[in-house]
Amino acid sequence: MSCKKSYITTPIYYVNDVAHIGHAYTTIIADTLARYARLIGEDTYFLTGTDEHGQKIEESAKIRGREPQEYADEISGKFRDLWDEFDISYDKFIRTTDVDHKKGVQKAFSVMHKNGDVYKDTYQGHYCISCETFFPELQLVDGEFCPDCGKSTSVVEEESYFFKLSAYEDRLLKWYEENPNCILPKSKRNEVIRFVEGGLNDLSITRTSFDWGVKLPSEFNEPKHVMYVWLDALMNYITALGYGTDDKNMDYWPARVHLIGKDILRFHAIYWPAFLMSLDLPLPKHIGAHGWWTRNGEKMSKSKGNVVNPKEVADAYGLENFRYFMLREVPFGGDGDFSQRALMDRINSDLGNDLGNLLNRLIGMSGKYFEGRVESELVSKYYQAELDEVQTYMDKLEPFIFELQLHRFLEELWRPLTVANRAIDKYQPWTMIKEGKTEETMALNGLIATILAKVSLMLHAVMPKTTTIIIEALGFEVTTENFEKYIRNNEILSPFTITKRDPLFPRIEEELLVDARLEAIKKEKEEAEAKKAKLKEAKKNGTTTEGVALIGIDQFFQTSLKIGTVVQAEEVVKSKKLLLLQVDIGEEYNRQVVAGIKEWYSAEDILNTQVCVVANLKPAKLMGMKSEGMLLAAKDADGLCLIRPEKPKTNGTPIS
Ligand code: MSP
């Protein structure tokens, strides 16, 4: 399945949000393919970029009080910075606000129009801004909500240009049928076929309700219309190669693979090939739709606060370990769960035990017995069976890459490592050397080095820096020539002296990322448990949870509480705290109450208001004044307030 030119693309990312693990996943798969294609000597062009037009972006900018262009510049820059930090080997980073891109889209519009596929009409439909898509009423959930994202749709009626998508039904179905691998994984192709067989409506490809988009070509004289954002966005795959401007790199077309997520398959597998047919351009070789990442089993969303930030993960666990994990953990096309536990297990087990340890064992054995020297000439004399076994695994690997089965690729690539680790355990070099079998021991080291060399070359596209370290320790370099030599032609390694180095994958014992959400859940749980324990303790002791003794109702009624009205109030001059009050509680004489409330109430505030009085307290003296009751009040960090009846009540009404 090898072709000379390899054009590999990611989706272009919307600039209404910063990058998350899903974006990183698509980009890392594409980067791996591009690196592999380059390594095997293909002329490779790798494209990524940002999708910057449309109502969604216009609104995101508006909410933040920004101009769309300035806002797009900022977020697009963040994507680019992240990919640079992640060493993504893109050849071009396209932005849909690039002048050349806009020219290319206009050209495509004119060509499709000239070819009779574009006509003007009016459109009435339910539009989801979030998905930038119209939906027929029948597809709406509860007659209103978007079937894809669940957000509310709005009814839009506007004049629009249409693309005759319906005219392409048969040709699309023929393409799917004649190219069984055009959509990967194959199960997704069946979904698309069923959708197209259900019938296609023509597609509205211009909008008049907003203006943040590519204008129609001037010959149309339609200043109110801008291109539908998906038409604009999909064209990036050819405008990036110079379509509509200098055509400079159009010989990379058709794409070897468009990498996308499953949510945007319809656009890529139906609209895009139809547009290309209308433009008389060849169709992409593969469209690869991966699944979605969840976190600890849940959908990621900002509101849940469980969105995985790829940079944080890479910083904590190592970028290349993260790459390995993502590609190894989930079958392409399936959904995958991000959990730190799974990531740690992969690092400790696959990378640390199987790969890193093998290098350590080679360093150890060759250092101890041969002063670091490793020679492979005699490997086939002693270990032909192992070499043959490794070769059968190696021969099967490449197709997995271009069929996008990267998890299988990595799984199979680990088999030679098992052969190597098993050989050490089986032949026991420490015994062989004691028995004077020097040649056999050296050959065993040669076998280990050969296996490490082959695995590292194949793994290079996934873990470029790590494998370069291993390969350099084995005395050669990562080049296409060496790939030919050691992988395709099965040549033996030249003798070399290995140098000691630190372990490549230090063991990770605990989760390195603070998961704010899980922390919050843990805290909540701990608090609930503490509360439960307190309740249990209180029950046992016959107290409230604060340790106050429980009383019976009869004891409560021993306190006489009454409604009263403050009929006289004056400040106690010498005191900062006290007011001297006369309170009518329905008795023949008023009660004198000295209340410590002056900090919160003036005499004037409290005069002629109703209060709750403890009426059967033994009289006491405060600053020489008799007090014959107490007012009910509540005091917290914000201060004190009196407890009062909600509505006026007759003085003396008992409180129960
Ligand atoms: N702008 C369009 C693509 C236009 S391509 C001509 C777009 N952009 S996006 O930023 O919303 O999404 C980009 C990619 O990220 C999609 O492939 C999408 O599937 C992927 N992901 C978004 N969330 C994801 C996960 N939680 N998990 C995996 N990938 C997900 O769509």
Side-chain angles (χ1 to χ4, degrees):
M1 231 175 129
S2 166
C3 62
K4 269 202 161 156
K5 297 220 178 254
S6 252
Y7 179 36
I8 292 160
T9 69
T10 73
I12 44 172
Y13 302 110
Y14 283 133
V15 290
N16 63 333
D17 208 349
V18 289
H20 61 69
I21 190 172
H23 302 127
Y25 181 53
T26 329
T27 309
I28 286 169
I29 299 175
D31 184 61
T32 300
L33 296 186
R35 284 177 183 273
Y36 188 81
R38 279 191 210 106
L39 183 60
I40 63 173
E42 294 184 352
D43 181 3
T44 306
Y45 198 84
F46 172 19
L47 175 73
T48 188
T50 42
D51 188 354
E52 306 183 11
H53 288 130
Q55 198 168 356
K56 182 159 58 174
I57 311 295
E58 190 180 71
E59 287 187 358
S60 286
K62 210 188 270 169
I63 289 167
R64 292 164 176 83
R66 315 270 297 271
E67 285 303 315
Q69 183 65 60
E70 174 218 356
Y71 175 63
D73 289 347
E74 181 193 321
I75 309 283
S76 174
K78 285 192 176 158
F79 271 99
R80 201 176 174 139
D81 289 348
L82 181 69
W83 302 150
D84 288 343
E85 220 173 297
F86 273 22
D87 247 337
I88 299 300
S89 62
Y90 59 84
D91 294 288
K92 184 174 169 87
F93 186 99
I94 192 169
R95 301 183 54 185
T96 52
T97 50
D98 290 342
V99 175
D100 282 357
H101 168 76
K102 292 194 252 186
K103 279 188 193 155
V105 178
Q106 288 174 331
K107 165 85 186 294
F109 190 91
S110 298
V111 174
M112 294 194 304
H113 184 259
K114 208 165 73 213
N115 289 345
D117 283 328
V118 173
Y119 63 94
K120 194 171 170 182
D121 205 339
T122 45
Y123 191 91
Q124 209 228 22
H126 302 266
Y127 195 65
C128 171
I129 296 176
S130 184
C131 298
E132 299 280 15
T133 310
F134 276 106
F135 290 98
E137 189 146 8
L138 269 177
Q139 279 184 21
L140 298 182
V141 177
D142 295 337
E144 181 188 342
F145 302 100
C146 171
D148 281 354
C149 73
K151 293 194 181 136
S152 175
T153 56
S154 35
V155 177
V156 174
E157 180 169 348
E158 54 185 52
E159 193 184 55
S160 175
Y161 282 83
F162 284 80
F163 175 75
K164 281 190 190 161
L165 187 62
S166 57
Y168 284 90
E169 258 172 51
D170 293 344
R171 270 179 280 177
L172 285 168
L173 288 170
K174 190 160 173 266
W175 181 57
Y176 307 138
E177 184 166 332
E178 287 173 358
N179 298 277
N181 285 332
C182 61
I183 298 165
L184 295 170
K186 285 182 192 166
S187 55
K188 293 274 191 290
R189 171 172 157 266
N190 300 337
E191 277 172 32
V192 172
I193 292 175
R194 274 196 299 276
F195 189 91
V196 176
E197 281 173 346
L200 296 175
N201 295 323
D202 288 351
L203 184 70
S204 158
I205 51 166
T206 67
R207 297 279 181 275
T208 53
S209 50
F210 62 93
D211 61 13
W212 179 236
V214 180
K215 302 270 178 264
L216 265 55
S218 54
E219 69 262 25
F220 286 82
N221 196 20
E222 291 278 21
K224 282 204 315 233
H225 288 252
V226 294
M227 306 275 186
Y228 171 43
V229 66
W230 271 101
L231 173 77
D232 168 359
L234 287 162
M235 290 299 164
N236 93 89
Y237 299 130
I238 50 175
T239 61
L241 301 177
Y243 180 86
T245 49
D246 59 10
D247 280 349
K248 201 166 104 204
N249 285 317
M250 277 304 280
D251 50 352
Y252 282 103
W253 189 257
R256 179 176 204 150
V257 53
H258 292 309
L259 257 314
I260 57 165
K262 64 179 181 183
D263 53 317
I264 54 174
L265 180 60
R266 204 182 333 144
F267 303 100
H268 284 80
I270 300 174
Y271 300 176
W272 181 226
F275 292 158
L276 286 166
M277 288 177 195
S278 175
L279 295 173
D280 291 320
L281 285 171
L283 306 192
K285 297 252 184 299
H286 306 286
I287 297 163
H290 64 69
W292 273 57
W293 281 89
T294 51
R295 183 169 207 187
N296 299 315
E298 284 184 21
K299 198 174 169 193
M300 277 183 245
S301 79
K302 262 202 223 162
S303 55
K304 281 194 201 147
N306 64 346
V307 177
V308 179
N309 178 335
K311 187 170 151 31
E312 278 175 16
V313 184
D315 285 349
Y317 290 94
L319 171 63
E320 298 202 348
N321 299 344
F322 176 45
R323 282 172 72 106
Y324 173 81
F325 166 76
M326 292 192 107
L327 302 184
R328 175 67 185 84
E329 192 66 9
V330 222
F332 185 84
D335 291 342
D337 193 49
F338 178 83
S339 87
Q340 295 194 66
R341 175 64 32 203
L343 173 55
M344 279 163 59
D345 287 348
R346 288 274 173 218
I347 296 174
N348 290 339
S349 161
D350 301 9
L351 297 176
N353 292 349
D354 302 341
L355 176 63
N357 248 355
L358 191 61
L359 180 66
N360 295 345
R361 290 173 108 177
L362 180 65
I363 292 173
M365 292 188 305
S366 53
K368 203 159 165 195
Y369 311 137
F370 305 108
E371 290 170 340
R373 200 76 195 139
V374 182
E375 291 168 11
S376 307
E377 280 89 347
L378 295 176
V379 177
S380 57
K381 180 171 167 197
Y382 293 101
Y383 304 106
Q384 191 57 47
E386 282 78 8
L387 281 181
D388 289 346
E389 191 182 349
V390 166
Q391 204 48 45
T392 51
Y393 299 136
M394 299 304 291
D395 288 345
K396 286 195 218 139
L397 286 171
E398 190 165 289
F400 287 128
I401 294 222
F402 290 116
E403 281 165 18
L404 305 180
Q405 296 204 48
L406 290 156
H407 71 291
R408 279 299 307 280
F409 168 76
L410 291 170
E411 194 179 8
E412 295 300 315
L413 183 56
W414 249 241
R415 294 191 194 280
L417 295 177
T418 310
V419 173
N421 281 308
R422 223 176 39 207
I424 301 178
D425 299 340
K426 179 173 165 193
Y427 297 110
Q428 306 197 333
W430 50 93
T431 314
M432 287 204 292
I433 206 86
K434 272 195 213 142
E435 292 168 353
K437 294 182 180 163
T438 319
E439 212 178 77
E440 286 93 324
T441 313
M442 177 56 99
L444 183 66
N445 281 356
L447 173 71
I448 309 305
T450 303
I451 295 176
L452 268 175
K454 286 178 191 279
V455 169
S456 301
L457 277 169
M458 284 309 268
L459 185 63
H460 181 68
V462 179
M463 305 184 77
K465 289 211 166 95
T466 313
T467 50
T468 301
I469 295 174
I470 302 177
I471 286 170
E472 284 174 2
L474 301 178
F476 68 102
E477 280 176 5
V478 186
T479 59
T480 304
E481 292 66 43
N482 282 333
F483 191 92
E484 283 286 310
K485 221 165 129 182
Y486 299 125
I487 301 288
R488 305 254 191 256
N489 303 336
N490 239 333
E491 288 182 29
I492 53 169
L493 284 187
S494 309
F496 65 93
T497 302
I498 204 162
T499 38
K500 264 197 155 178
R501 51 159 308 110
D502 292 336
L504 287 173
F505 309 101
R507 210 176 158 74
I508 300 170
E509 301 288 359
E510 58 179 300
E511 298 187 358
L512 301 174
L513 276 179
V514 179
D515 187 325
R517 198 168 148 276
L518 289 184
E519 290 277 298
I521 292 173
K522 202 168 130 206
K523 203 169 152 215
E524 247 170 52
K525 243 185 173 165
E526 279 169 7
E527 280 171 5
E529 252 153 43
K531 221 166 157 183
K532 238 161 105 189
K534 239 176 164 182
L535 266 171
K536 210 169 148 194
E537 181 71 10
K539 217 167 150 191
K540 197 173 102 200
N541 298 339
T543 65
T544 68
T545 49
E546 265 125 30
V548 179
L550 297 182
I551 56 169
I553 189 93
D554 46 335
Q555 275 171 290
F556 174 72
F557 283 121
Q558 286 176 8
T559 312
S560 165
L561 298 170
K562 288 192 172 168
I563 300 294
T565 300
V566 179
V567 291
Q568 252 185 48
E570 56 191 282
E571 294 179 5
V572 178
V573 184
K574 282 192 198 144
S575 165
K576 277 191 201 152
K577 293 191 175 161
L578 300 180
L579 292 184
L580 180 64
L581 312 173
Q582 304 299 323
V583 187
D584 177 356
I585 59 165
E587 294 171 342
E588 56 276 18
Y589 66 95
N590 293 332
R591 290 286 182 98
Q592 173 162 294
V593 176
V594 182
I597 57 173
K598 195 171 162 185
E599 282 172 71
W600 300 280
Y601 293 88
S602 67
E604 198 182 329
D605 287 338
I606 199 167
L607 187 64
N608 296 326
T609 66
Q610 285 204 302
V611 290
C612 300
V613 183
V614 183
N616 60 342
L617 269 186
K618 283 186 186 149
K621 275 202 169 169
L622 284 167
M623 290 187 79
M625 294 169 289
K626 187 165 151 202
S627 185
E628 303 164 305
M630 204 173 90
L631 306 190
L632 293 191
K635 190 173 158 195
D636 64 9
D638 288 339
L640 174 143
C641 80
L642 289 166
I643 311 295
R644 304 174 184 279
E646 194 188 3
K647 290 182 204 152
K649 283 278 151 205
T650 313
N651 292 335
T653 307
I655 300 171
S656 55

